[in-house]
Amino acid sequence: MTTSNLHMYVLAAPLLTALFVNMLGRVSRSYVAPLVLGALGFSTLASLGVLSRVLDQGSYSYTVGNWAPPMGIELIIDPLSALMLVLISSVALLASFSALPMVAKEQAGKEHLFFTLYLILIAGLMGLVMTGDAFNLYVLLEITSITTYGLIAMGKGRAPLASFNYIIMGSIGACFYLLGVGYLYILTGSLNMADIAQILPQLGGDAAMATALCFILVGLWIKMALFPLHGWLPNAYSLAPTGAGLLVAPLMTKVTIYLMVRVMFSIFGADYLFVQNPLVQSGMVWLATAAIICASCLALAQRNLKRMLTYIIIAEVGYMVGGVWLANSTGLSGAILHIVNDALMTLCLFLAAAAIAYRVGSLDFDNLQGLYKRMPITMAAFTVGAFSMIGIPPTAGFFSKWYLILGGIEAGHWEYVVALLFSSLINAILFFRIIAIAYFRKEGDHARLQREEAPLIMQGPLILTAATLIVIGLGSGPLVRGIIKLALPVGF
Amino acid sequence: MEQFLAIIIAKYNYWLYVVLMMIGFYAMIGKRNLVKKLIGMNIFQTAIILMFVSAGAKYGAKIPILNKHEVLEHGVRAAQVVNPLPHVLMLTAIVVSVSVTGVALAILQRIYREYGTLEEDEILEKLGR
C-alpha cells in the first residue's frame, strides 16, 4: 500500500465488502456487522490519510489502469474532494452503527441484502467526489441512485410507491445530465472535465454551450431536490427504512451540491457563469431564496418529525445553492462549510429520530410527549442538533450560516440574507415546538414514565455526532482557513 | 417553408430525437398508469442513446475496425471511420437504463401485490380510505 493510491483503498473497501456481506451474510447474519463496520472504519482511517497527504503535498490526479487522460478516466484528489471523502466515510460509519440494530428490527432476515446495497451506495458516493470525467460521473450518479431506489423500496407500506416516483424523477434528472454531457461532447470532443474546461473558452459561449449548462444544472437540481423540483424527496426519505434514511438523508443531497460546484467550476468556469451571465447568477440567488422560504413554510405544516426534517433538508439545499451562486469567496466557503455542517446536523437529527423510532415506534408529534423523561440522553443530543439547525452558537450551524449571511451582504443580495434569517426563525419555531411537546406536556395515562434509552450502539454515535457539531463549530475558523480556503476553485 | 424544411432535413436525426424524447416525457408526466410511465422512461432514455449514436455517424464512413499494419504505416484517416466512442458510452448507458428498468419492475410488482392495481388514481383512492 503506497500513499499515492490510498484513495483507491478508501473506495475499494466498501465495494468489495459489499460482495462479502452478500455471500457470508447468507451463511450467518452475524458476519454482517463486523464486515460493515470493519470496511467503513478502514475507509475512514484511509480517507483521513488521503486528506493529510493532500494538505501536505497538494492535490494530485490518478489515472485508473494507466490510460492517460483525456482518453482514460482521471480521478482528481484535491482538498475539496479529500474533505468530502472524510465526510462521507465518517458519516457512513456513524450511521451504520445505528443502522445495524434498526435493520435487524425492521428488516429482520434481510440484513445482508440491505447492507449490500448500503455499501455499494457508499462506494458510489466516494467515486462521485473523486472522478474527473463527466461521463464517469453519470455512471456513478446512477449507481448511487439505483441503490437508493432499492433501499427506499425496502420500507413498509407506501415506500415502494414513493420509490417508484423517485425512480421516474431521478431518471429524468440523470437523463438531463447525460444530455448535457452529450452536448458538451459534441462541442468539444472530450469527456475529461479539465480538457473540456480548456476547450470551452475558445468556443466563445454560444447557444449550444448554454443549453449544455442548462441541462446539466437542471438534472443535478432534480437530484438534489432544489425547491420547485423537490416533489419526490419528502415521501422517499420519510418512508424509507430508518436505517436507509440515516445514510441517504445526510449524504445524497450534499454530495449532489458538491457535484454542482464541481461541474460549475471545473467545467464551465467562474468567468462564464458569473461575469458573462450576471442575470443568470442573480436569478439563481432569487430561486434559492424562494426555495428557502417555501420549503421552510412547508415544514411548518408537517405533523411528523421525520417529514418535517425532510422539508428542512430541502430548505438547506436552498442555503447551499444560494451560497454557491453568490459568486464571492465568502459565500462559497460558507456553502462548502455548510455542506460539512449540514451533513452532520442532519445525521445528528436522524440518529436521534432513529433512536426515538426504536423505542417509541411512531414519530408523529403526538407520540413524542414526555420524551425528555424517557430518553434524556437522546433528547439532549437532539437538542444540540436542533440548535445547530436553528443556528445558535457555538454549534456548527451558526458559523456556516454566518459566512453565508456575510457573503450575501458582500454580494448585495439582501433578499437571500432575509430568507436565511427567516428560515432560522422558522427552524426555531419548528424545533421549540417539538421540544415543548417532548419536555413540558405530561402523558395522561401513565403517570410514572420509565426511563428507557435506545441501546448503547445507537446512543454512542448520536452523542459523538452531537459533540462533533460543537467541536466543528468552535473549530470552524481553522477548518475554513486550513482546508476550505484551499478547496476554493481558481479565481476566488 | 422551404428554408424551414431545409433546416429540419439537414439535422433530421436531432429532430427525431427531440420528438422521441417529448413522447417519452409526456408518458412519464401525463400517463396515470405506472407501467406506461416506466415505458415512457425507456423511450426517453432511448432517445438520448440515439442522439449520442447519431452524433458519432459520418457520411460514407466505415465501421471502426482497422487493419493494424495499414494504421501503423499511414495512420488513421478519421473521416473514413465512424467515431466509436459515443457507441461505447451508450453501451454503458444501456446497461444503466436496463438496471433502472429492472429495479422499477421489481418495485411495480411489490406495488401490485400491495394494492392490487397499477393505476395511480386507484392506488391514491385506496390510500385515501
Side-chain angles (χ1 to χ4, degrees):
Chain A
M1 195 189 289
T2 57
T3 48
S4 69
N5 58 7
L6 194 58
H7 58 278
M8 289 308 286
Y9 291 92
V10 177
L11 185 140
L15 190 61
L16 293 178
T17 315
L19 192 69
F20 290 114
V21 165
N22 198 336
M23 289 193 307
L24 295 176
R26 282 171 204 279
V27 181
S28 164
R29 303 280 178 270
S30 57
Y31 288 122
V32 173
L35 277 173
V36 170
L37 295 178
L40 293 176
F42 174 79
S43 275
T44 310
L45 288 179
S47 63
L48 284 171
V50 172
L51 182 64
S52 76
R53 182 192 139 106
V54 166
L55 293 180
D56 209 34
Q57 300 172 15
S59 46
Y60 59 102
S61 84
Y62 182 86
T63 50
V64 184
N66 256 342
W67 295 92
M71 291 304 150
I73 289 170
E74 194 182 17
L75 299 182
I76 294 172
I77 316 294
D78 58 10
L80 184 55
S81 52
L83 179 69
M84 289 300 290
L85 271 185
V86 173
L87 182 71
I88 290 169
S89 52
S90 52
V91 166
L93 179 66
L94 288 170
S96 56
F97 273 108
S98 196
L100 282 162
M102 267 333 277
V103 174
K105 192 176 175 183
E106 282 182 354
Q107 276 82 33
K110 289 190 195 156
E111 289 101 321
H112 59 295
L113 300 173
F114 182 95
F115 280 101
T116 308
L117 289 179
Y118 187 92
L119 288 172
I120 297 175
L121 169 58
I122 295 166
L125 289 172
M126 286 170 171
L128 274 179
V129 299
M130 285 195 281
T131 186
D133 184 281
F135 188 78
N136 195 229
L137 199 151
Y138 162 76
V139 176
L140 288 162
L141 198 62
E142 280 303 75
I143 289 176
T144 55
S145 301
I146 291 171
T147 45
T148 315
Y149 304 149
L151 283 174
I152 290 171
M154 284 176 105
K156 290 187 190 67
R158 288 182 63 181
L161 199 61
S163 176
F164 186 78
N165 283 334
Y166 183 18
I167 291 185
I168 297 289
M169 286 308 286
S171 296
I172 295 179
C175 285
F176 275 2
Y177 176 81
L178 182 60
L179 206 55
V181 172
Y183 275 64
L184 284 181
Y185 178 69
I186 294 172
L187 274 174
T188 63
S190 176
L191 289 166
N192 184 287
M193 287 185 190
D195 203 29
I196 297 176
Q198 257 182 359
I199 299 171
L200 273 185
Q202 302 158 17
L203 301 173
D206 58 352
M209 186 170 159
T211 317
L213 176 69
C214 252
F215 273 128
I216 289 181
L217 284 183
V218 172
L220 290 177
W221 290 338
I222 294 176
K223 288 268 180 194
M224 74 172 74
L226 185 65
F227 162 65
L229 307 167
H230 70 285
W232 56 270
L233 187 137
N235 271 337
Y237 282 14
S238 61
L239 295 169
T242 315
L246 282 174
L247 179 70
V248 173
L251 288 180
M252 279 296 273
T253 53
K254 265 51 95 183
V255 169
T256 323
I257 288 162
Y258 163 87
L259 293 181
M260 187 183 80
V261 174
R262 187 52 101 200
V263 165
M264 281 168 65
F265 298 107
S266 296
I267 295 184
F268 291 95
D271 181 56
Y272 175 72
L273 293 167
F274 299 146
V275 181
Q276 294 181 30
N277 299 303
L279 213 62
V280 177
Q281 183 255 326
S282 60
M284 277 310 302
V285 179
W286 276 100
L287 184 65
T289 307
I292 296 169
I293 291 178
C294 295
S296 297
C297 292
L298 285 171
L300 269 178
Q302 306 307 318
R303 301 292 306 161
N304 179 297
L305 176 60
K306 222 168 165 189
R307 270 192 90 74
M308 186 194 94
L309 292 179
T310 58
Y311 279 99
I312 292 178
I313 293 177
I314 299 169
E316 304 277 322
V317 168
Y319 286 25
M320 287 172 269
V321 172
V324 172
W325 284 89
L326 282 176
N328 57 38
S329 74
T330 323
L332 192 58
S333 353
I336 294 171
L337 184 63
H338 202 72
I339 290 179
V340 177
N341 290 348
D342 192 41
L344 290 168
M345 296 187 296
T346 316
L347 177 70
C348 183
L349 292 172
F350 269 77
L351 281 172
I356 298 169
Y358 190 86
R359 278 285 172 247
V360 182
S362 160
L363 287 173
D364 290 340
F365 284 173
D366 301 334
N367 293 4
L368 302 179
Q369 295 173 357
L371 265 184
Y372 271 93
K373 283 253 169 59
R374 272 176 84 178
M375 311 173 83
I377 299 175
T378 305
M379 287 312 286
F382 177 85
T383 313
V384 174
F387 279 11
S388 186
M389 269 300 178
I390 300 167
I392 297 175
T395 51
F398 168 76
F399 294 94
S400 45
K401 211 173 261 187
W402 180 248
Y403 275 101
L404 288 174
I405 287 176
L406 284 182
I409 293 172
E410 203 178 298
H413 280 287
W414 292 94
E415 74 281 358
Y416 177 68
V417 176
V418 170
L420 282 178
L421 295 174
F422 175 77
S423 165
S424 298
L425 209 65
I426 297 268
N427 279 355
I429 296 172
L430 289 170
F431 284 112
F432 278 111
R433 190 168 61 174
I434 291 178
I435 290 171
I437 292 173
Y439 196 92
F440 294 110
R441 272 203 219 167
K442 289 225 168 73
E443 197 126 338
D445 312 323
H446 333 283
R448 297 192 57 80
L449 281 172
Q450 289 294 313
R451 216 189 118 166
E452 41 169 4
E453 283 283 356
L456 204 62
I457 192 172
M458 295 181 82
Q459 268 184 53
L462 178 58
I463 297 166
L464 197 61
T465 315
T468 314
L469 279 179
I470 294 174
V471 171
I472 287 199
L474 295 175
S476 54
L479 183 66
V480 169
R481 274 194 303 277
I483 300 177
I484 293 176
K485 286 283 176 219
L486 297 174
L488 294 185
V490 192
F492 276 95
Chain B
M1 192 63 200
E2 289 279 287
Q3 257 183 330
F4 180 66
L5 277 178
I7 291 173
I8 288 184
I9 289 167
K11 294 260 189 324
Y12 69 95
N13 52 338
Y14 295 124
W15 288 98
L16 274 178
Y17 113 75
V18 169
V19 171
L20 209 53
M21 204 170 112
M22 285 305 121
I23 294 172
F25 201 63
Y26 163 72
M28 280 161 105
I29 305 294
K31 291 287 174 190
R32 306 296 291 169
N33 183 301
L34 298 182
V35 178
K36 284 184 183 163
K37 278 188 180 212
L38 182 61
I39 292 173
M41 191 182 93
N42 270 315
I43 297 174
F44 192 78
Q45 287 169 329
T46 311
I48 294 171
I49 291 170
L50 289 178
M51 183 206 76
F52 265 85
V53 170
S54 71
K58 293 168 193 165
Y59 282 108
K62 293 199 191 91
I63 51 168
I65 299 174
L66 304 171
N67 186 334
K68 182 181 163 193
H69 300 289
E70 216 171 278
V71 169
L72 285 177
E73 267 177 44
H74 307 289
V76 183
R77 294 206 192 89
Q80 286 181 4
V81 288
V82 297
N83 185 357
L85 190 64
H87 298 67
V88 178
L89 295 179
M90 284 311 105
L91 274 184
T92 319
I94 289 169
V95 171
V96 168
S97 108
V98 167
S99 33
V100 173
T101 311
V103 173
L105 282 174
I107 289 173
L108 281 183
Q109 217 174 12
R110 276 200 59 189
I111 293 175
Y112 187 78
R113 265 187 224 145
E114 184 111 11
Y115 302 102
T117 173
L118 287 172
E119 296 289 334
E120 207 175 13
D121 299 329
E122 290 174 26
I123 294 175
L124 291 178
E125 208 174 289
K126 287 195 176 181
L127 282 173
R129 269 189 295 138

